[in-house]
Amino acid sequence: MTAPSGVATTLDLIGNTPLVLLKGPSAAAGCEIWGKCEFANPGASVKDRAALWIVRDAEARGTLKPGGTIVEGTAGNTGIGLALVANALGYKTVIVMPETQSREKMDTLRALGAELVLVPAAPFSNPGHFVHTSRRLAEETDGAVWANQFDNIANRKAHIEGTAPEIWEQMEHRIDGFTCAAGTGGTIAGVGLGLKAFDETIRIALTDPHGAALYNYYACGELRAEGSSVAEGIGQGRITANLDGAPIDTQFRISDEEGLEWVARLLAEEGLCLGLSSGINVAGAVALGRQLVADGRKAPRVATILCDTGFRYLSTLYNPEWLRAKNLPVFPWLA
Ligand code: PMP
């Protein structure tokens, strides 16, 4: 049965997020910069989309059976999305997360009913890395599937089939550029492939944080990381299956300081409370807008992703002591 609102089940609340014009970034770029409000998803992040597509894919393949368990390694947001989707469909969730992630994400996962397994942060080459730990746990658990968001391309399909057509329609088929950062790469690759299918002249830019290897990969073919970042959920050191074949035309590298400046401005000037990956994406969108203007595109229009809510980072990004300990600037109204 479809309700008068057109929403049939609680899972239909995932996606179809609003797109808003960002005033400050548009003024800074000299062209229109639009933000896709992914914090408006039920789990308050872009990762609800990947969670839903991964679960539906596992059901369709027959690997996830009624009452089964979904196991995943995640920086947090995918776990939150999976826990909500699992609750709605009668599955259990086991979430493996590095202990360096925000307290709010851990509390949220426990509150949603997920079984939370914390592991020390480790390089990907270490068998104790959260991704490998989650794979082993899935193998050892009866009736469990491993969501495998990094290399399961049901993740990017969520953006090819959902996010990209939504942006295309919301921008009334007039869009010149899209950019965002990569964690799994599902968003940048999926939106990039989806938008290029509508109009191949749309410029797709990767916005990389410091400490990630993709900027150098797309700039000169070498996976090499420099510096570091405190941004959660983004920063990749390898070409995941989701990134494989991503149509990246250009790339930007954005510092935490620059991303934080946009987080502060978007909150103070536009009333949007966001996480750092959103600030880094907006900084990248401003850079892409300026580049398109410089290249002579007439009144270009750029879109990016506002990935998650800032309420998830009250103990970190919005906490003066935490920021000072990381040598990062404190928002003026908190200083
Ligand atoms: N921002 C945040 C806050 C995230 O949790 C993630 C997901 N890891 C991303 C951005 C990046 O999304 P994707 O995995 O699709 O690259």
Side-chain angles (χ1 to χ4, degrees):
M1 193 181 87
T2 304
S5 64
V7 171
T9 78
T10 50
L11 291 176
D12 295 327
L13 297 169
I14 294 174
N16 289 313
T17 53
L19 185 77
V20 288
L21 183 66
L22 302 172
K23 287 179 294 181
S26 298
C31 68
E32 288 179 15
I33 307 288
W34 294 79
K36 185 84 168 135
C37 297
E38 293 303 300
F39 56 82
N41 282 301
S45 94
V46 65
K47 299 303 302 208
D48 285 11
R49 295 178 184 267
L52 180 58
W53 255 253
I54 286 171
V55 170
R56 290 301 195 201
D57 178 72
E59 288 177 330
R61 287 171 193 277
T63 50
L64 183 58
K65 304 256 173 17
T69 302
I70 304 156
V71 185
E72 183 58 327
T74 152
N77 280 330
T78 304
I80 290 167
L82 283 171
L84 291 176
V85 171
N87 287 356
L89 295 171
Y91 303 116
K92 296 182 278 293
T93 38
V94 177
I95 301 301
V96 185
M97 194 162 90
E99 59 197 9
T100 47
Q101 302 304 293
S102 82
R103 177 71 203 269
E104 287 85 339
K105 284 185 187 158
M106 299 176 193
D107 290 345
T108 303
L109 280 162
R110 290 195 190 98
L112 300 181
E115 188 187 324
L116 185 60
V117 179
L118 294 177
V119 295
F124 190 71
S125 55
N126 183 324
H129 185 272
F130 67 97
V131 170
H132 308 312
T133 307
S134 68
R135 188 194 60 243
R136 278 196 306 276
L137 269 177
E139 285 164 2
E140 291 161 7
T141 307
D142 277 346
V145 294
W146 183 40
N148 187 20
Q149 57 169 330
F150 291 90
D151 295 305
N152 178 349
I153 60 166
N155 170 359
R156 82 178 184 193
K157 243 176 133 181
H159 301 287
I160 295 173
E161 296 173 359
T163 322
E166 288 171 30
I167 292 173
W168 179 246
E169 290 308 324
Q170 287 168 315
M171 296 195 73
E172 297 171 324
H173 306 187
R174 287 189 301 118
I175 167 168
D176 298 275
F178 173 82
T179 188
C180 69
T184 63
T187 312
I188 184 70
V191 176
L193 288 165
L195 287 178
K196 290 267 193 195
F198 292 116
D199 176 356
E200 63 182 27
T201 70
I202 299 171
R203 194 174 297 178
I204 306 297
L206 172 85
T207 292
D208 223 20
H210 287 248
L214 298 181
Y215 176 86
N216 281 325
Y217 179 78
Y218 291 111
C220 59
E222 192 190 345
L223 277 169
R224 178 164 44 86
E226 289 158 87
S228 66
S229 169
V230 301
E232 295 184 25
I234 57 172
Q236 185 49 257
R238 68 185 177 95
I239 301 302
T240 62
N242 279 293
L243 276 169
D244 192 25
I248 308 296
D249 298 308
T250 188
Q251 57 286 323
F252 302 103
R253 184 153 48 196
I254 302 292
S255 67
D256 284 356
E257 286 79 1
E258 208 184 329
L260 277 170
E261 198 177 317
W262 280 116
V263 171
R265 284 193 58 184
L266 289 165
L267 179 49
E269 298 169 16
E270 315 205 21
L272 289 172
C273 184
L274 302 165
L276 182 50
S277 68
S278 303
I280 287 174
N281 282 355
V282 168
V286 170
L288 177 58
R290 286 177 179 156
Q291 187 191 71
L292 287 162
V293 170
D295 288 352
R297 283 235 200 174
K298 291 265 173 321
R301 307 172 87 208
V302 171
T304 191
I305 302 287
L306 307 178
C307 313
D308 70 351
T309 173
F311 300 149
R312 201 147 277 166
Y313 306 99
L314 297 182
S315 67
T316 57
L317 301 180
Y318 297 89
N319 172 2
E321 281 115 67
W322 188 90
L323 287 165
R324 282 191 198 105
K326 304 272 178 203
N327 267 325
L328 288 167
V330 176
F331 301 146
W333 60 93
L334 292 177

